[in-house]
Amino acid sequence: MQLRRVLNQIKTPLISGISIVVIVCWLYLWQITADIPSIMKDPQMGITLWSAVDFWQMLVMWMVMMVGMMLPSAVPMLLIYERACAPDDRIATLLFMLGYLSIWLLFSLAATLLQWGLDQAALLSPMMVSSSPTLGAGILIAAGLYQLSPLKHRCLSFCRTPLQFLTTHLRTGRSGALRMGLEHGFFCLGCCWALMGLLFVGGVMNLLWIAIIALFVLMEKVLPYGVQGGRYIGSLMVLVGLYLLF
Protein backbone atom coordinates (compact mmCIF):
# COMPACT_ATOMS: atom_id res chain seq x y z
CA MET A 1 0.00 0.00 0.00
CA GLN A 2 2.76 2.39 0.96
CA LEU A 3 4.75 1.49 -2.17
CA ARG A 4 1.70 2.14 -4.34
CA ARG A 5 1.23 5.53 -2.69
CA VAL A 6 4.86 6.44 -3.39
CA LEU A 7 4.55 5.34 -7.02
CA ASN A 8 1.39 7.38 -7.46
CA GLN A 9 3.17 10.38 -5.99
CA ILE A 10 6.05 10.01 -8.44
CA LYS A 11 3.57 10.01 -11.33
CA THR A 12 2.15 13.42 -10.46
CA PRO A 13 2.62 16.11 -13.14
CA LEU A 14 4.54 18.23 -10.63
CA ILE A 15 7.16 15.55 -10.00
CA SER A 16 7.36 14.71 -13.70
CA GLY A 17 7.88 18.34 -14.65
CA ILE A 18 10.50 18.95 -11.98
CA SER A 19 12.34 15.76 -12.96
CA ILE A 20 12.55 16.89 -16.59
CA VAL A 21 13.82 20.35 -15.62
CA VAL A 22 16.46 18.93 -13.25
CA ILE A 23 17.66 16.34 -15.79
CA VAL A 24 18.01 19.00 -18.49
CA CYS A 25 19.98 21.21 -16.08
CA TRP A 26 22.41 18.43 -15.17
CA LEU A 27 22.85 17.42 -18.81
CA TYR A 28 23.71 21.03 -19.61
CA LEU A 29 26.23 21.14 -16.76
CA TRP A 30 27.72 17.85 -17.90
CA GLN A 31 28.10 19.20 -21.43
CA ILE A 32 29.80 22.46 -20.47
CA THR A 33 32.12 20.84 -17.92
CA ALA A 34 33.12 18.24 -20.49
CA ASP A 35 33.75 20.91 -23.11
CA ILE A 36 35.54 23.69 -21.23
CA PRO A 37 36.79 26.39 -23.62
CA SER A 38 40.43 25.90 -24.56
CA ILE A 39 41.40 29.24 -23.04
CA MET A 40 40.48 27.88 -19.62
CA LYS A 41 42.47 24.70 -20.15
CA ASP A 42 45.72 26.58 -20.77
CA PRO A 43 47.53 26.94 -17.43
CA GLN A 44 49.79 29.62 -18.97
CA MET A 45 46.89 32.00 -19.52
CA GLY A 46 46.89 35.05 -17.30
CA ILE A 47 44.11 37.44 -16.42
CA THR A 48 41.73 38.01 -19.30
CA LEU A 49 39.08 40.66 -19.53
CA TRP A 50 35.55 39.32 -19.68
CA SER A 51 33.43 40.34 -22.63
CA ALA A 52 29.68 40.80 -22.35
CA VAL A 53 29.28 37.36 -23.94
CA ASP A 54 31.61 35.80 -21.36
CA PHE A 55 29.62 37.35 -18.53
CA TRP A 56 26.31 36.21 -20.00
CA GLN A 57 27.59 32.65 -20.49
CA MET A 58 28.79 32.50 -16.90
CA LEU A 59 25.50 33.91 -15.65
CA VAL A 60 23.53 31.29 -17.58
CA MET A 61 25.82 28.57 -16.21
CA TRP A 62 25.24 29.74 -12.62
CA MET A 63 21.48 29.97 -13.18
CA VAL A 64 21.26 26.46 -14.60
CA MET A 65 23.50 25.18 -11.80
CA MET A 66 21.35 26.70 -9.08
CA VAL A 67 18.13 25.32 -10.58
CA GLY A 68 19.65 21.85 -10.92
CA MET A 69 21.08 21.91 -7.39
CA MET A 70 18.25 23.55 -5.44
CA LEU A 71 15.00 22.52 -7.11
CA PRO A 72 15.14 18.87 -5.91
CA SER A 73 15.43 20.02 -2.29
CA ALA A 74 12.24 22.10 -2.70
CA VAL A 75 10.13 19.13 -3.83
CA PRO A 76 8.69 18.31 -0.35
CA MET A 77 7.55 21.92 0.07
CA LEU A 78 6.06 22.06 -3.42
CA LEU A 79 4.18 18.79 -2.96
CA ILE A 80 2.67 19.86 0.35
CA TYR A 81 1.79 23.31 -0.99
CA GLU A 82 0.09 21.79 -4.03
CA ARG A 83 -1.97 19.35 -2.00
CA ALA A 84 -2.79 21.56 0.97
CA CYS A 85 -3.09 25.03 -0.54
CA ALA A 86 -3.69 24.69 -4.28
CA PRO A 87 -5.08 21.25 -5.12
CA ASP A 88 -7.02 22.59 -8.10
CA ASP A 89 -4.74 25.41 -9.21
CA ARG A 90 -1.53 24.29 -10.87
CA ILE A 91 -0.77 27.87 -11.87
CA ALA A 92 -0.49 28.80 -8.18
CA THR A 93 1.96 25.94 -7.61
CA LEU A 94 3.95 27.05 -10.65
CA LEU A 95 4.06 30.61 -9.34
CA PHE A 96 5.24 29.35 -5.94
CA MET A 97 8.05 27.47 -7.69
CA LEU A 98 8.97 30.45 -9.87
CA GLY A 99 9.10 32.69 -6.81
CA TYR A 100 11.41 30.21 -5.10
CA LEU A 101 13.69 29.90 -8.13
CA SER A 102 13.81 33.66 -8.74
CA ILE A 103 15.72 34.07 -5.47
CA TRP A 104 18.36 31.63 -6.65
CA LEU A 105 18.50 33.28 -10.06
CA LEU A 106 19.27 36.59 -8.33
CA PHE A 107 21.91 34.77 -6.29
CA SER A 108 23.38 33.55 -9.60
CA LEU A 109 23.92 37.15 -10.64
CA ALA A 110 25.74 37.88 -7.38
CA ALA A 111 27.84 34.71 -7.78
CA THR A 112 28.78 35.67 -11.34
CA LEU A 113 29.86 39.14 -10.19
CA LEU A 114 31.89 37.56 -7.37
CA GLN A 115 33.52 35.15 -9.80
CA TRP A 116 34.38 38.02 -12.12
CA GLY A 117 35.93 39.97 -9.25
CA LEU A 118 37.99 37.00 -8.05
CA ASP A 119 39.11 36.25 -11.58
CA GLN A 120 40.24 39.82 -12.21
CA ALA A 121 42.09 39.79 -8.88
CA ALA A 122 43.97 36.66 -10.02
CA LEU A 123 42.48 34.61 -7.17
CA LEU A 124 40.96 31.94 -9.43
CA SER A 125 42.72 29.36 -11.56
CA PRO A 126 41.71 28.82 -15.21
CA MET A 127 39.53 25.95 -13.92
CA MET A 128 37.73 28.41 -11.59
CA VAL A 129 39.22 27.04 -8.38
CA SER A 130 40.65 29.32 -5.71
CA SER A 131 44.35 29.76 -6.45
CA SER A 132 44.94 31.33 -3.03
CA PRO A 133 45.32 28.92 -0.09
CA THR A 134 44.28 31.73 2.24
CA LEU A 135 41.10 32.40 0.27
CA GLY A 136 40.25 28.69 0.10
CA ALA A 137 40.84 28.27 3.83
CA GLY A 138 38.81 31.39 4.58
CA ILE A 139 35.84 30.12 2.56
CA LEU A 140 35.95 26.77 4.35
CA ILE A 141 36.14 28.37 7.79
CA ALA A 142 33.37 30.87 7.02
CA ALA A 143 31.08 28.19 5.59
CA GLY A 144 31.78 25.90 8.53
CA LEU A 145 31.08 28.57 11.12
CA TYR A 146 27.86 29.51 9.35
CA GLN A 147 26.80 25.86 9.48
CA LEU A 148 26.93 26.17 13.27
CA SER A 149 25.19 29.54 13.51
CA PRO A 150 21.64 30.11 14.86
CA LEU A 151 20.62 31.92 11.65
CA LYS A 152 21.54 28.90 9.58
CA HIS A 153 19.42 26.59 11.71
CA ARG A 154 16.48 28.96 11.85
CA CYS A 155 16.39 29.04 8.06
CA LEU A 156 16.97 25.30 7.87
CA SER A 157 14.04 24.64 10.20
CA PHE A 158 11.64 26.19 7.68
CA CYS A 159 13.18 24.14 4.87
CA ARG A 160 12.92 20.89 6.84
CA THR A 161 9.35 21.45 8.06
CA PRO A 162 7.15 22.62 5.16
CA LEU A 163 4.02 22.62 7.32
CA GLN A 164 5.64 25.05 9.74
CA PHE A 165 6.38 27.41 6.87
CA LEU A 166 2.89 27.09 5.40
CA THR A 167 1.13 27.73 8.69
CA THR A 168 3.21 30.81 9.49
CA HIS A 169 3.44 32.31 5.98
CA LEU A 170 0.18 31.26 4.36
CA ARG A 171 -1.22 33.67 1.78
CA THR A 172 -4.14 33.11 -0.55
CA GLY A 173 -4.45 33.57 -4.29
CA ARG A 174 -1.88 33.40 -7.03
CA SER A 175 -0.14 36.58 -5.92
CA GLY A 176 0.07 35.02 -2.47
CA ALA A 177 1.58 31.90 -4.01
CA LEU A 178 4.29 33.96 -5.71
CA ARG A 179 5.04 35.83 -2.49
CA MET A 180 5.22 32.58 -0.50
CA GLY A 181 7.64 31.20 -3.06
CA LEU A 182 9.83 34.28 -2.69
CA GLU A 183 9.78 33.98 1.10
CA HIS A 184 10.62 30.30 0.99
CA GLY A 185 13.43 31.11 -1.44
CA PHE A 186 14.84 33.63 1.05
CA PHE A 187 14.84 31.01 3.81
CA CYS A 188 16.50 28.52 1.47
CA LEU A 189 19.11 31.10 0.48
CA GLY A 190 19.74 31.84 4.15
CA CYS A 191 20.22 28.13 4.69
CA CYS A 192 22.56 27.35 1.79
CA TRP A 193 24.36 30.46 0.51
CA ALA A 194 27.59 29.71 2.38
CA LEU A 195 27.68 26.18 0.98
CA MET A 196 27.66 27.62 -2.53
CA GLY A 197 30.91 29.39 -1.69
CA LEU A 198 32.51 25.97 -1.53
CA LEU A 199 32.20 25.83 -5.32
CA PHE A 200 35.20 28.18 -5.43
CA VAL A 201 37.14 25.68 -3.29
CA GLY A 202 36.44 22.49 -5.24
CA GLY A 203 35.87 24.07 -8.64
CA VAL A 204 32.93 25.86 -10.24
CA MET A 205 33.39 23.61 -13.28
CA ASN A 206 33.90 20.38 -11.29
CA LEU A 207 30.72 18.39 -11.92
CA LEU A 208 31.47 15.86 -9.18
CA TRP A 209 31.99 18.64 -6.63
CA ILE A 210 28.74 20.32 -7.73
CA ALA A 211 26.91 17.01 -7.29
CA ILE A 212 28.41 16.46 -3.81
CA ILE A 213 27.25 19.88 -2.60
CA ALA A 214 23.78 19.37 -4.12
CA LEU A 215 23.49 15.97 -2.44
CA PHE A 216 24.58 17.41 0.89
CA VAL A 217 21.96 20.19 0.62
CA LEU A 218 19.28 17.60 -0.12
CA MET A 219 20.33 15.30 2.72
CA GLU A 220 20.51 18.16 5.21
CA LYS A 221 16.93 19.14 4.39
CA VAL A 222 15.21 15.75 4.22
CA LEU A 223 17.08 13.17 6.30
CA PRO A 224 16.14 12.66 9.96
CA TYR A 225 19.69 13.39 11.12
CA GLY A 226 20.31 16.16 8.59
CA VAL A 227 20.71 18.86 11.25
CA GLN A 228 23.28 16.93 13.26
CA GLY A 229 25.07 15.86 10.11
CA GLY A 230 25.26 19.47 8.96
CA ARG A 231 26.85 20.48 12.25
CA TYR A 232 29.43 17.71 12.04
CA ILE A 233 30.31 18.68 8.48
CA GLY A 234 30.49 22.34 9.51
CA SER A 235 32.94 21.51 12.28
CA LEU A 236 35.00 19.45 9.84
CA MET A 237 35.09 22.36 7.38
CA VAL A 238 36.42 24.67 10.10
CA LEU A 239 39.13 22.17 11.04
CA VAL A 240 40.19 21.63 7.43
CA GLY A 241 40.20 25.38 6.82
CA LEU A 242 42.39 25.99 9.89
CA TYR A 243 44.73 23.21 8.76
CA LEU A 244 45.11 24.80 5.32
CA LEU A 245 45.57 28.24 6.86
CA PHE A 246 48.26 27.33 9.38
Side-chain angles (χ1 to χ4, degrees):
M1 238 358 238
Q2 186 176 3
L3 177 60
R4 182 181 301 176
R5 187 179 305 170
V6 171
L7 291 175
N8 289 334
Q9 184 177 0
I10 293 175
K11 293 178 182 178
T12 62
L14 177 63
I15 295 297
S16 301
I18 290 176
S19 300
I20 292 173
V21 171
V22 171
I23 290 172
V24 170
C25 288
W26 282 97
L27 286 175
Y28 174 83
L29 292 174
W30 174 78
Q31 180 183 8
I32 63 173
T33 54
D35 187 27
I36 301 174
S38 58
I39 190 172
M40 292 183 177
K41 291 182 178 179
D42 187 357
Q44 303 302 319
M45 291 300 297
I47 301 174
T48 58
L49 296 177
W50 286 23
S51 67
V53 174
D54 295 330
F55 187 88
W56 172 250
Q57 288 177 340
M58 284 299 169
L59 178 59
V60 171
M61 183 201 71
W62 273 98
M63 287 180 169
V64 174
M65 188 191 305
M66 290 301 101
V67 172
M69 292 177 72
M70 302 310 302
L71 191 53
S73 68
V75 168
M77 175 66 75
L78 290 169
L79 283 174
I80 293 179
Y81 174 81
E82 181 187 49
R83 295 183 179 184
C85 304
D88 300 316
D89 190 353
R90 291 179 181 173
I91 299 298
T93 304
L94 179 61
L95 288 171
F96 186 102
M97 182 172 66
L98 291 177
Y100 170 81
L101 290 178
S102 65
I103 298 301
W104 284 105
L105 296 182
L106 288 173
F107 172 82
S108 300
L109 176 60
T112 305
L113 291 170
L114 176 61
Q115 182 181 334
W116 172 79
L118 293 174
D119 184 65
Q120 298 307 296
L123 293 175
L124 289 182
S125 73
M127 298 299 290
M128 292 181 247
V129 182
S130 170
S131 58
S132 166
T134 302
L135 175 62
I139 293 174
L140 279 168
I141 294 171
L145 291 176
Y146 189 74
Q147 282 291 114
L148 305 174
S149 70
L151 178 58
K152 156 77 180 191
H153 290 284
R154 174 172 170 76
C155 294
L156 180 60
S157 66
F158 284 107
C159 294
R160 285 180 57 87
T161 55
L163 286 177
Q164 178 187 355
F165 174 82
L166 292 178
T167 54
T168 56
H169 295 79
L170 182 62
R171 289 176 176 81
T172 58
R174 292 179 177 178
S175 61
L178 180 62
R179 184 172 175 181
M180 289 175 66
L182 290 168
E183 291 174 346
H184 181 56
F186 275 118
F187 282 119
C188 189
L189 178 64
C191 173
C192 303
W193 69 270
L195 292 173
M196 297 305 143
L198 298 177
L199 290 167
F200 293 109
V201 177
V204 177
M205 300 292 285
N206 186 335
L207 189 62
L208 178 60
W209 186 241
I210 297 170
I212 289 173
I213 295 176
L215 184 61
F216 175 72
V217 168
L218 181 62
M219 294 173 61
E220 191 177 37
K221 289 185 177 182
V222 302
L223 290 186
Y225 298 101
V227 176
Q228 294 89 333
R231 287 174 176 161
Y232 293 144
I233 295 298
S235 301
L236 180 61
M237 285 191 286
V238 172
L239 292 175
V240 173
L242 290 173
Y243 173 78
L244 294 176
L245 191 61
F246 296 108

